[in-house]
Amino acid sequence: MVGGGQLARMTHQAAIALGQSLRVLSTGTGESAALVAADVVLGDHRDLDALRRVADGATVVTFDHEHVPTEHLHALEEAGHRVAPGPAALVHAQDKLVLRRALTEAGEPQPVWAEVSTAVGVADFAGAHGWPVVLKTPRGGYDGKGVFVVDDVDAATALLDRFGTLLAEQRVPLVRELAALVARSPLGQVAAWPVVETVQRDGVCHEVLAPAPGLDDELATAAQELAIRIAERLGVVGLLAVELFETADGVLVNELAMRPHNSGHWTIEGSRTSQFEQHLRAVLDYPLGVPAMTAPVVVMANVLGGAASEEGWAGPGLDERVHHLMAHWPDVKLHWYGKGQRPGRKLGHVTALGDDLDEVRARAVAAARYLADGVVDPAFAFDEEHP
């Protein structure tokens, strides 16, 4: 697996149960997966020699991020290595302009868009579709990075001077954001999890609600079918996460990820087959597992670095907070990524299961907040000396 982050770490855990050994290409020994995997190759994903080292003797090369140069992946294939997903598919998750062109050709729903390289081009787009305009860097963006909302030509010009060619999109009147997660094997077997709602703040996922509450059954099925069509058309092997905008008229495709995805972390406890196991099954060409939910409602909440990451923190230490969490919410499952703390960083996630969305969500959010910054939700007040 190229990349040593938390996705590789959790994939490593799934690999053990399947009798597999995951080799990780990591930029350093302190990365999440490198801390736990036995077979670590140190190197940069932009270095072809490093990619060759991690591919040597491997059954298949796969990814925990999309930032590997496409030409390097073609070089691996030409050398006889199996890459899943292959570069012809993965480029649609790497380059937003390539994705937009492919979706247009396929007639799939997406925001109105244009490729722009001049201020005049942005002004013309805004004249046709209104301000503000969403501008995106074609490559390299994640967690809201590389996405800008501009209100005038001057702001757009500054971004064009900085980045060059950009993707311009009409700002969509959102109802909410959804995600459809599917897996596809080399033989074309597919499996789809229930469509989920992703709660985003400042471009970062804070919560995932499974299944998406109040989503019409027909629209949910349509979103799953859309994801499957995209996976089949692009020849995806492995996981495909389709990030969606729900509007009053249906759903629009925002972006793709071809790897395990934050919107699928809930599946570790909340599905009969987690996204990490399913990704491995798919890229190894094993039969896929059942994606059925293990509870009526599952909520995942990210633990983001907060006040505890800043100087002057005087609250309980991390180990103490973990102790209190386990004592007070014994049914909430914690996944810690082994990262150094800093404000806003994804440090881990918690998952809660149950029957009532409001109750399950309150537990997950309260537990994540307490882990992040030691703040106890009044609804769950407890004595830290005797939780």
Side-chain angles (χ1 to χ4, degrees):
M1 183 166 255
V2 177
Q6 64 262 27
L7 300 181
R9 183 185 178 106
M10 289 181 276
T11 303
H12 169 69
Q13 293 174 288
I16 294 170
L18 297 181
Q20 295 293 326
S21 177
L22 190 73
R23 176 184 297 158
V24 175
L25 178 64
S26 177
T27 58
T29 57
E31 284 200 289
S32 294
L35 292 171
V36 297
D39 192 354
V40 178
V41 174
L42 295 180
D44 193 287
H45 59 270
R46 295 163 295 187
D47 181 350
L48 181 56
D49 287 338
L51 292 168
R52 286 175 172 148
R53 291 199 305 274
V54 80
D56 184 33
T59 305
V60 61
V61 177
T62 190
F63 313 93
D64 93 335
H65 62 73
E66 292 91 358
H67 305 310
V68 184
T70 310
E71 62 272 19
H72 288 358
L73 300 182
H74 283 294
L76 290 182
E77 285 195 329
E78 291 166 4
H81 300 292
R82 193 162 77 82
V83 178
L90 188 63
V91 69
H92 296 84
Q94 295 175 316
D95 192 312
K96 297 177 179 65
L97 285 169
V98 172
L99 170 63
R100 290 289 175 236
R101 295 186 194 109
L103 293 176
T104 297
E105 182 179 347
E108 299 292 8
Q110 60 180 324
V112 177
W113 68 278
E115 180 179 346
V116 294
S117 56
T118 66
V120 172
V122 177
D124 289 344
F125 185 84
H129 305 292
W131 295 101
V133 171
V134 179
L135 294 178
K136 298 180 178 181
T137 56
R139 285 183 176 249
Y142 66 97
D143 281 352
K145 298 177 177 66
V147 179
F148 309 91
V149 180
V150 298
D151 295 305
D152 54 46
V153 172
D154 288 343
T157 300
L159 290 172
L160 290 166
D161 290 342
R162 180 180 172 190
F163 296 108
T165 299
L166 295 169
L167 167 65
E169 292 181 1
Q170 183 181 30
R171 190 172 189 182
V172 175
L174 288 181
V175 174
R176 56 181 168 174
E177 295 191 48
L178 304 173
L181 191 68
V182 300
R184 182 177 181 273
S185 76
L187 292 178
Q189 184 188 10
V190 294
W193 286 269
V195 177
V196 300
E197 178 178 348
T198 62
V199 180
Q200 310 281 336
R201 301 189 190 99
D202 299 322
V204 177
C205 180
H206 281 240
E207 303 165 46
V208 175
L209 316 179
L215 184 63
D216 177 80
D217 287 344
E218 290 187 7
L219 187 56
T221 300
Q224 291 174 311
E225 291 175 344
L226 169 62
I228 292 170
R229 284 197 307 272
I230 292 172
E232 292 178 339
R233 182 179 181 88
L234 300 183
V236 175
V237 172
L239 263 290
L240 173 67
V242 182
E243 299 177 13
L244 299 165
F245 295 141
E246 183 183 358
T247 73
D249 299 319
V251 294
L252 303 174
V253 176
N254 177 22
E255 296 178 2
L256 305 182
M258 295 183 191
R259 51 168 170 79
H261 190 254
N262 202 172
S263 67
H265 290 354
W266 66 273
T267 62
I268 298 174
E269 289 84 25
S271 171
R272 293 294 302 275
T273 308
S274 78
Q275 66 164 344
F276 301 99
E277 177 183 336
Q278 200 81 292
H279 183 69
L280 289 171
R281 286 186 182 222
V283 302
L284 292 168
D285 201 11
Y286 291 172
L288 300 183
V290 174
M293 294 183 64
T294 60
V297 174
V298 184
V299 175
M300 187 282 306
N302 279 321
V303 179
L304 303 173
S309 306
E310 301 172 359
E311 292 183 8
W313 168 254
L318 175 61
D319 185 66
E320 186 178 353
R321 297 201 302 280
V322 170
H323 179 91
H324 292 153
L325 178 144
M326 290 181 173
H328 197 67
W329 295 283
D331 57 325
V332 171
K333 302 299 290 187
L334 166 64
H335 295 266
W336 202 252
Y337 302 155
K339 293 181 176 181
Q341 296 194 44
R342 67 169 182 258
R345 192 179 199 188
K346 289 180 183 175
L347 303 175
H349 73 266
V350 298
T351 306
L353 293 77
D355 298 310
D356 180 83
L357 173 63
D358 291 340
E359 188 274 332
V360 173
R361 185 177 184 182
R363 277 190 288 127
V365 171
R369 185 183 182 194
Y370 180 70
L371 270 180
D373 57 24
V375 174
V376 180
D377 188 307
F380 295 93
F382 61 90
D383 179 356
E384 290 183 346
E385 292 298 322
H386 302 91

